[in-house]
């Protein structure tokens, strides 16, 4: 499931110039995408709990946490997150919960989410989410065992 991308500028760039971007992203404790520093793809982590849906955050209501920029739809949501980030931040740093349960990391789509026992989980795509939903408790147990050792694999 792990995806690695190499960026280069055509055939004239020496091999040392190739950058394993996704590998670098998978070393970070919070998934922010390849060319971004936004956690949860810029969605408001608190809104999943209060609005029961993904809500885009606003740059006016942002904060830095664990090396990533988090956006919120309101100052109240930003302040709630700042007071208790463990309560609202997605599990496994926002990486795909199913991938972590399988011993890897993968990006996650903020629109594919589920709150289980008061914790937010994200998945890579709809097909992966269906796999994850077949045994959520089992996948959570495995992912909890794998996290955070899967970072950098």
């Amino acid at each position: 499931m792990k995806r690695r991308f190499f960026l280069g500028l055509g055939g004239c760039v020496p091999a040392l110039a190739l950058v394993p971007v996704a590998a670098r992203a998978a070393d970070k404790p919070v998934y922010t995408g390849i060319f971004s520093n936004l956690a949860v793809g810029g969605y408001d982590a608190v809104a999943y709990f209060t609005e029961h849906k993904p809500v885009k955050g606003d740059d006016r209501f942002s904060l830095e946490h664990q090396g990533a920029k988090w956006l919120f739809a309101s100052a109240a949501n930003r302040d709630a997150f700042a007071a208790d980030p463990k309560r609202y931040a997605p599990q496994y740093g926002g990486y795909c919960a199913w991938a972590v349960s399988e011993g890897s990391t993968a990006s996650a789509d903020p629109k594919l989410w589920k709150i289980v026992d008061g914790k937010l989980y994200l998945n890579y795509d709809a097909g992966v989410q269906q796999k994850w939903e077949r045994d959520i408790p089992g996948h959570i147990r495995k992912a909890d065992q794998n996290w955070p050792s899967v970072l950098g694999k």
Side-chain angles (χ1 to χ4, degrees), residues 1-5 21-23 26 34 104-107 124-125 128:
M1 172 130 244
K2 181 172 246 182
R3 301 187 191 303
R4 295 189 187 266
F5 300 97
V21 177
I34 296 172
S104 188
T105 58
S107 61
Y124 174 75
D125 65 18
V128 165

Side-chain angles (χ1 to χ4, degrees), residues 40 43 48 54 56 108-113 122-123 129:
V40 197
Y43 283 80
Y48 291 98
K56 279 296 236 179
D109 183 338
K111 295 177 188 165
L112 296 165
W113 62 281
L122 304 176
N123 287 118
Q129 188 172 48

Side-chain angles (χ1 to χ4, degrees), residues 12-13 32-33 85 129:
C12 63
V13 177
T32 59
Q129 188 172 48

Side-chain angles (χ1 to χ4, degrees), residues 21-145:
V21 177
R24 222 180 34 229
D27 290 337
K28 299 188 320 187
V30 174
Y31 179 75
T32 59
I34 296 172
F35 300 107
S36 170
N37 193 35
L38 288 179
V40 197
Y43 283 80
D44 180 336
V46 175
Y48 291 98
F49 296 89
T50 60
E51 302 291 322
H52 310 290
K53 64 181 181 180
V55 175
K56 279 296 236 179
D58 186 313
D59 202 42
R60 294 176 300 163
F61 311 113
S62 67
L63 64 79
E64 297 287 321
H65 176 69
Q66 287 192 316
K69 183 177 183 178
W70 299 72
L71 300 182
F72 302 91
S74 68
N77 284 7
R78 179 199 57 214
D79 296 346
F81 183 90
D84 194 358
K86 281 190 171 195
R87 177 177 178 188
Y88 297 109
Q91 299 302 291
Y92 321 121
Y95 290 92
C96 173
W98 182 83
V100 174
S101 78
E102 295 296 308
S104 188
T105 58
S107 61
D109 183 338
K111 295 177 188 165
L112 296 165
W113 62 281
K114 190 165 194 87
I115 294 176
V116 179
D117 295 329
K119 296 181 179 182
L120 175 61
Y121 297 88
L122 304 176
N123 287 118
Y124 174 75
D125 65 18
V128 165
Q129 188 172 48
Q130 287 178 340
K131 290 179 187 179
W132 186 73
E133 289 177 340
R134 288 184 195 134
D135 182 15
I136 292 173
H139 289 301
I140 289 173
R141 269 192 306 280
K142 289 185 344 184
D144 286 349
Q145 291 171 352

